[in-house]
Amino acid sequence: MNSYQDICAYIAAEGVARGYAVIPEVRLHLDGAWIDLDLVWVAPRPGPHAPPNPETGFLSRWQLITTFEVEGSNVPYAAFMRHLERLDFMESVQTEPFNRFVVLYTEHHARLGWGPEVDRTNELLGRVLWAAEYADRMQITDGPFLPESIAAWLG
């Protein structure tokens, strides 16, 4: 499971298998800041629900369980830190903890230069190594290890 598409398909199937709704391409406006998320697992909140709110989007109806950012193995350090800071901020605003994953892909079927013929091992290892110091706040994993990472972190 090296490609962006295979990783997203796995995340969706695994979330449904665990009883969650899976929402792709989430955009939230929290406390004046826009936060974009690739995929989320959510659980329904018991009703009655507050009316939909453009600021918090679906969070009045759904509890955020897990966020997934799916990034190329060459993701810059600054982008990784931006994810971490936004998710920390998001958790502080909504006050409910949630799980966080960054999953690295080495292939993308819709991008030139992202096929299986390119060896991205060094990029991948570099990202996993510098992300290790943040493992208490976010799990970062290579796509082929996603099933084991989810099992280890979430049970």
Side-chain angles (χ1 to χ4, degrees):
M1 180 174 15
N2 292 323
S3 78
Y4 173 85
Q5 293 78 6
D6 291 341
I7 290 166
C8 289
Y10 178 82
I11 291 168
E14 181 68 17
V16 169
R18 289 172 175 260
Y20 300 123
V22 179
I23 303 175
E25 299 300 325
V26 171
R27 183 158 226 221
L28 300 173
H29 193 249
L30 298 176
D31 230 17
W34 285 104
I35 298 175
D36 297 310
L37 303 165
D38 289 338
L39 289 137
V40 298
W41 290 352
V42 294
R45 293 185 187 279
H49 299 110
N53 177 342
E55 291 293 308
T56 58
F58 65 87
L59 292 178
S60 63
R61 298 176 93 57
W62 299 92
Q63 179 186 357
L64 186 60
I65 304 299
T66 305
T67 65
F68 293 91
E69 292 297 327
V70 184
E71 296 286 356
S73 59
N74 65 345
V75 61
Y77 182 75
F80 174 77
M81 292 307 297
R82 187 177 63 247
H83 288 316
L84 194 60
E85 290 163 5
R86 287 181 179 168
L87 292 170
D88 283 347
F89 169 74
M90 191 172 153
E91 191 168 277
S92 75
V93 170
Q94 77 156 20
T95 69
E96 294 173 319
F98 53 89
N99 303 299
R100 309 150 176 213
F101 277 88
V102 172
V103 186
L104 301 174
Y105 64 84
T106 56
E107 296 177 29
H108 195 298
H109 302 304
R111 292 191 178 159
L112 292 176
W114 280 90
E117 69 282 354
V118 179
D119 183 3
R120 299 195 178 273
T121 305
N122 288 337
E123 288 176 350
L124 197 59
L125 291 174
R127 277 21 174 219
V128 171
L129 287 174
W130 54 245
E133 69 182 278
Y134 302 102
D136 60 328
R137 294 166 57 201
M138 182 182 295
Q139 179 70 34
I140 188 166
T141 188
D142 178 13
F145 299 107
L146 182 59
E148 292 87 354
S149 295
I150 289 174
W153 223 40
L154 305 179

